[in-house]
Structures are given as C-alpha cells and as structure tokens.
Amino acid sequence: MAILENIRKRTTILILIIGLALFAFVISGVFTSGTLAGGAKVGSTVAEINGKEITVDDFRRKIEAVSRNNTSGSSMQMVNQVWDQEVKTAILEEQFEDLGIGIEQDQIIDFLKTSGYAQNPSFQNEDGVFDPALFRETIADWKKNSPAQYASWLDTEKAIMQLSKEQTYYNLIKAGVGATLKEGEFEYKLANDKIDLKYVRVPFSSIPDSTVSVSKSEIASYIKEHKEDFKQEESRDIQFVYFEEQPSAADEEAAKQYVLKWMNDQYGFDENKESQEDETINDTIVGFANTTDMAAFLDRHSDIKFDTIFKPKSALPARFADSLMALSVGETYGPYRDGDFFKISKMMGRKAGGSVKASHILVAYEGAQRANPEVKRTKEEAAARAKELLQKAKKSGADFAALAKENSDGPSGPNGGDLGFFEEGRMVPEFNDFVFDNKVGAVGLVETDFGFHVIKVTDKQDLVQIAHLARKIEASEETINNLFTDATKFEMATTSEGKSFVDFAKENNYIVRPVNKIKALDENLPGLSTQRNIVQWAFNEDSEIGDVKRFNINNGYAIVQLTAKYEEGLMTVEDASAVVLPKIRKERKAAQIIGKYQGKTMEDIAKEANVSVSNATGLTVKSPTIPGAGSEPAVVGSAYAMEEGETSGLIEGETGVFMITVTKKEEAAKLDNYSTYANNLKAANVSKVNTEVYNALKKAAVIEDNRADFY
C-alpha cells in the first residue's frame, strides 16, 4: 500500500516523464523516418540509370505485380526480372525520346491484332475474331464497372506501348542492315574454297612450363595491358560445414522395429486405435499378416495407405520387384528399406496375364479413323494387303519387327510395331480381346475403325495388388538435439576458442565445402540451395575475412566462414595468375621456337624438333581444324591469303608454331547469283540487332545498382 501511495503522490512527475519519452520517440521518428532495418531509406533509390532514379517504393510495387502472376519463382528471381526490365526501359526510353518514337492508339490496336491479346474472348466478336470496337467497349466497361481489372489493363497497356516502341526502334535499325552480293560471294568462298597443306608443327608442349619463369611484376604488367579481360565484380569466397538433419542409425533401426512390431498379432493396448473405450490390457491386436481389413489396419499403423490398384512389375521398386512378384497371395516379404521407408509387403491379389506386350502392323485405308491423308488404298485393298502380311508374319522365322517397319501405317511402325506393355481396356475392343484371349507368340488379324491390324502377342505379365506396412525413417528428437549440440560446438570452437575452421572440421570428420566468387545478388549456394541471408552476411560491411557464423537452414545448420573478399576493379596478380601464366608462357615459348628455327626449312625444323612433316586436305576458313593439331584459324587464314606452292614463314598458332606450304587451292564453283548467301548473311546480321544494340547501349550507360542494399 505504501508503494501505491507514493505513486499517487508523484502522478504529475510520472505524466511528465511519460510525455517526454513519447516526445523523444516522435522526434526520433522524424529523424529516422523512412529508414529500413538494414539502413536503407524508404523512398531512396534502388537504382540510378543515366541520371534517372528508380525509387525502391516503385520498384517494390512492380515486384508485387510480378509476384501476383508468378508464384513459382523465388523472391530474388522476381527482383532480377523487374530489374532487367527497368534497366531496359530506362536505357531505351532515351533513344525513343531522341528519335521521337511514340505510340498512338491505332498502333496499339495493330499490335493487339498480331499478339496473344487478340485471343482474349473479351475482345472477340461472335466469329471469334478480334474486334477493335468491341475492344474499346470492353476497356470502357472495365473503367466504369471493374476498377481492379481496368488498373491491371493500364499496366498491360504500358507494357504493350513499350514493346511497340521497341519494335519500331529495332525495325529502324534493321532497315539499315544489309549484305551486298559481293559480301555474299565472299561468305560463299570462305565456306567452300578448299586448301591442302603440307605443314610442320613444333608444339608448345615441347618446352616444359618449368623452364619458362614468369614474375609477379610481369603478370601485373600483362593485366594492365589487357584491362578489359581482367575486370572483376565485387565478390566473396566462403566455406561451410553443413550439419544436415537426417535420421541416425538408431532412427533407422526404430523404423524397422516398428514394422516388425505390427507384423504379427500381439496382446496389449493399441495406442493407435482411435477409440479406447472398450480396450483392455488383454485385447488381441491383429497384426499385418492376419488382418482382414487391410485398409483400416494401414490407416492406423502405416505411413503408406492401402492402394487397391493392381500394378505391373515395372511399377514396383526395381530392387525388390523380382522378390515381390514371386510372392503367393497372402505371403509377405520384408522388412526391407525402400528409400525413406522401412516396409513389410504382402501380396493381396494377382491377375494372371493382366499386362500384355504386343506389336502390330496397321494397314490403313482411305476414310479410316485418323488415317494418314497420303493413304489412298480402298478398304478392300487394305484387307487383301493385311492378309498377305499375316501369312508372312506366321511363317517360321519371320521378322515381325522388320515387316512392321516396312509396311505399318501406324506411329509404332518405326519401332517395329512395338506397343510396349498395356493393361486391359487401353486398346479398342477388337484389339483388346485378341491380345488378352491369346497366348504369347500368337499372330492374328483384326479389324478396327483404324484399319486392319496384324497383331503379335510378344509377352505377358501378371498384375499384382500389394499392401505395404511402412514406417518413414525420420530424425528423432534426440537426433535433432544432438545435431544442434554438434553444430554449436563447432561454432564455439571456431569462434570463441580460436580453433582453425579446416583443422577442427578434419579432426571431427566434417566435410568443408568451399563456394567461390559469390556475387552480391546471388541467392543459390551449391550444397545449400537458396540462402540469401548467407550472401547478405558475406557482403555486410562488418563481416571480416575469417569470421564464422551459424545459420539455421532447412533441415539443419550451416557453419559458414568468410574466406576472401574481392573488390570491383582489376583482378589481383594472385587471382589472375591462373589465367595469365599460360598466356605469357605461350608467348615466351612461341618467341623461343621462332628464334630457334628462324630461316630454316620445313625439313630441317622437323628433323631438329623430332617431329614429322604432315599433310592436311580440304581445309576451309569456316572449318579451320587441322588433323592432329586442332582448330588453328590463324594458320588456315594465313594459308587462304597465300598462293599455291608458296611456303610461309613461322606462324604462331593455338597449339604450337607452324610452317606451311600450300600444296593445292581449289576454288569453289562460281555461282550465277550469290543472292542466297547475301540474304542469309543479312538475316544473320538482322537477327543480332536486338541483342547487340541493347548490349552496346547498356555497356555505355551509367548504372548505379543498389539492389543489394534492399534485398
């Protein structure tokens, strides 16, 4: 009571304190309003493209619109989809404005006529044809009576206008793309002028790599001279140990003991029974082997319910199919492990010969159901032809498959008429009755609406009905707790105790898995699938090389260590050396070989280098593969410019240094007109316009990408 009295006495002071706290909260909100948990501000830009800002609010609205129509993609896939479209729109819009490209309503209607939107029933007349007047009426009706549908249409209209402008823009460029007849002739000659060579090659492999020393400074100089080839994005390397939640040996044994427990009758209390009102300790609980109501028993005691469908051998687990098919009705097999289950299986029923394999030769006639239009024979002619084929098929040693390939009008003809296994009722009645009423090897003739069939029964299999008492093998609570303990110990050892990540993993037989060059917007990590949170941690400014963190993921935990950071710009000497070293060595080896054999004949080079003089025939610039050497475009290109009988100097190729003599040049036959080749060249160039023009514009654009700050 004394405490309550003190509170009452100080009511004014309390009100003042609470008021000041609320004021501080409001003031704090003023200064921090619009700030996200990650530090990014609401209303700030997710990108800036050539000076045009894209706000995160607008970007998110577009992602939401995409997500309503796409429920299968991941969140980052949708982010990237919207990003690509926003970048494309911003870059191309500048071009549209500069060229004055706009779209009028008539152009939208023209676009609709040739697009999938024309198939919308709302825009079609009674004849199923797109009607511009009906289209306008429908949109007006949506605007008046269906605001949501109209709003959706406005988004669609924007997309159509964008596509139409893009189409107009690219068509303007394509109009200027062409190919002359001379270019067509040159293209023809590059593909068809043939060259025969005599050559000697001193392979680069003749000089050991160990004899060509390359310093770090030389690698650095090479990188600077070839900057475009060694640019890198900001990226990270990590390594992780995955503690996967999976059943232990004890969990597997528990599943096995469960099915064994319910295999036979037992006495006691049935914990799986829905109602225990009349249960006593001396109840007899009928087991799997003896139950007379299999469906009810499996509903209570099995993780796989009773399937009453009769199935062929092919539908059974391949590893156990022979054993299961060998069971008599009432017999059981197991326990055995099948995937994630322990099972005991019982044969409930068998249909002898319930699955038949047959082949047939279809002789169709004009007017028969689904007959090929090319078939012109009459029904009488077809019947006579089928009887002839029947006699041939019945002869001893007849090759039914060959007869079918040569004579069948059915789609199975190329496969020798083989229809595979099928069950009763799958074929038309006449066909069905013959194959199921006759023994394997029987050959006969039946008529159906498709024509005349010469049929051979090639195999029969039983169909079986099998019940499975099954228990799924799952990680127990004890196993899950042990997994958590192991993951925690590993995390503590590599953080608080300072033990080496790799060494401690090795000591405890854990597998360390590296993932290299992760980009800021990646989400899929090999071995862990979608783990955006790990990527964000790796790129967090506070994350340092060597840091370790545990992540809760699906089915377990990942203990992750950040192992390297790569900044945007030129690759370091260490990172680029794997690519640069072979290039510099190749240049040095080429210089050594050329210096050693300069001025010598082909035969002298072959003798001194202990290689042979070889021949290559029928080479073209379009197909520059030299037998025994591989693709050598520089060598074949040099030969193309030489005269017959001329010998080259030393040529640096892809795999070694060459000296060549052109032994024969065979010009392709001259054509009266090279328009076909010119048109093909033009079509190839036109097909590249959209991609190459956009890529060029994108490369020249100034793009600031802030997606990683928000997603």
Side-chain angles (χ1 to χ4, degrees), residues 127 224 237 254 279 310 502 616 627-628:
D127 298 324
K224 289 179 181 178
D237 288 352
E279 200 72 61
F310 283 77
V502 174

Side-chain angles (χ1 to χ4, degrees), residues 296-504:
F297 179 87
L298 295 182
D299 280 344
R300 280 198 220 152
H301 303 296
S302 176
D303 289 334
I304 296 178
K305 305 310 176 188
F306 184 39
D307 187 350
T308 59
I309 297 174
F310 283 77
K311 296 180 179 179
K313 181 181 179 180
S314 60
L316 303 179
R319 185 179 171 189
F320 307 103
D322 289 337
S323 298
L324 294 172
M325 290 298 294
L327 294 173
S328 299
V329 174
E331 281 189 318
T332 60
Y333 173 78
Y336 63 96
R337 179 166 182 170
D338 180 21
D340 293 333
F341 292 88
F342 249 106
K343 296 178 180 178
I344 297 176
S345 299
K346 182 178 181 180
M347 179 67 71
M348 301 297 293
R350 181 185 294 271
K351 290 182 179 178
S355 180
V356 173
K357 186 178 183 183
S359 296
H360 80 134
I361 304 169
L362 173 63
V363 183
Y365 53 86
E366 190 173 13
Q369 189 171 336
R370 297 184 192 173
N372 190 317
E374 295 180 3
V375 174
K376 300 299 182 184
R377 68 173 70 94
T378 65
K379 184 175 182 179
E380 291 73 18
E381 290 171 337
R385 180 59 179 154
K387 289 176 182 177
E388 290 176 14
L389 292 170
L390 175 64
Q391 295 306 313
K392 290 181 180 181
K394 282 186 171 182
K395 286 183 180 179
S396 177
D399 188 340
F400 194 93
L403 284 172
K405 286 180 181 179
E406 294 173 6
N407 299 283
S408 181
D409 295 323
S412 65
N415 297 323
D418 186 10
L419 296 169
F421 279 97
F422 52 89
E423 296 166 28
E424 195 158 7
R426 289 280 302 278
M427 300 296 179
V428 292
E430 300 87 352
F431 198 107
N432 182 87
D433 292 346
F434 179 85
V435 296
F436 282 96
D437 291 345
N438 286 279
K439 296 180 180 180
V440 173
V443 178
L445 176 64
V446 300
E447 180 186 351
T448 72
D449 292 339
F450 299 97
F452 296 91
H453 306 258
V454 179
I455 306 170
K456 182 175 182 179
V457 181
T458 55
D459 197 5
K460 287 193 175 187
Q461 288 184 357
D462 292 352
L463 294 177
V464 293
Q465 184 189 62
I466 297 179
H468 302 284
L469 171 61
R471 187 67 164 181
K472 189 170 185 180
I473 306 167
E474 296 180 312
S476 63
E477 185 176 348
E478 181 182 358
T479 298
I480 294 171
N481 290 338
N482 289 338
L483 184 73
F484 175 78
T485 301
D486 291 342
T488 302
K489 285 181 180 178
F490 189 93
E491 180 188 19
M492 296 300 293
T494 53
T495 52
S496 304
E497 299 172 23
K499 293 187 178 181
S500 164
F501 192 95
V502 174
D503 291 344
F504 190 71

Side-chain angles (χ1 to χ4, degrees), residues 28-189:
S28 173
V30 169
F31 287 106
T32 62
S33 63
T35 302
L36 300 172
K41 292 184 177 180
V42 175
S44 57
T45 58
V46 74
E48 187 173 316
I49 304 164
N50 289 340
K52 178 186 176 182
E53 293 185 348
I54 299 175
T55 68
V56 69
D57 297 328
D58 185 49
F59 194 76
R60 282 177 176 153
R61 279 193 293 271
K62 290 176 180 176
I63 291 173
E64 288 172 7
V66 169
S67 66
R68 284 194 293 269
N69 299 319
N70 181 7
T71 57
S72 59
S74 69
S75 57
M76 280 306 296
Q77 286 174 329
M78 295 179 193
V79 167
N80 294 335
Q81 180 182 337
V82 173
W83 167 262
D84 290 340
Q85 186 57 52
E86 288 297 289
V87 171
K88 187 177 183 180
T89 299
I91 290 173
L92 291 177
E93 199 61 46
E94 287 187 348
Q95 303 299 311
F96 302 158
E97 290 176 6
D98 290 344
L99 296 171
I101 296 174
I103 299 298
E104 302 296 331
Q105 190 180 64
D106 289 345
Q107 290 173 284
I108 294 177
I109 290 176
D110 288 340
F111 181 89
L112 287 171
K113 289 178 180 177
T114 58
S115 70
Y117 297 104
Q119 306 305 316
N120 188 330
S122 300
F123 304 154
Q124 294 176 341
N125 59 26
E126 294 177 354
D127 298 324
V129 177
F130 178 78
D131 186 334
L134 188 57
F135 159 72
R136 292 187 179 92
E137 290 176 11
T138 302
I139 299 302
D141 181 66
W142 287 351
K143 183 176 182 179
K144 181 179 180 181
N145 301 312
S146 182
Q149 200 165 12
Y150 181 68
S152 176
W153 163 252
L154 291 179
D155 289 337
T156 301
E157 187 179 52
K158 287 179 183 177
I160 291 173
M161 291 175 69
Q162 182 67 19
L163 286 172
S164 297
K165 286 190 281 188
E166 287 179 21
Q167 192 177 73
T168 301
Y169 174 68
Y170 288 130
N171 285 343
L172 287 172
I173 297 172
K174 289 174 183 178
V177 175
T180 65
L181 290 176
K182 200 65 181 174
E183 288 175 317
E185 180 183 0
F186 186 58
E187 185 76 3
Y188 168 75
K189 290 176 70 64

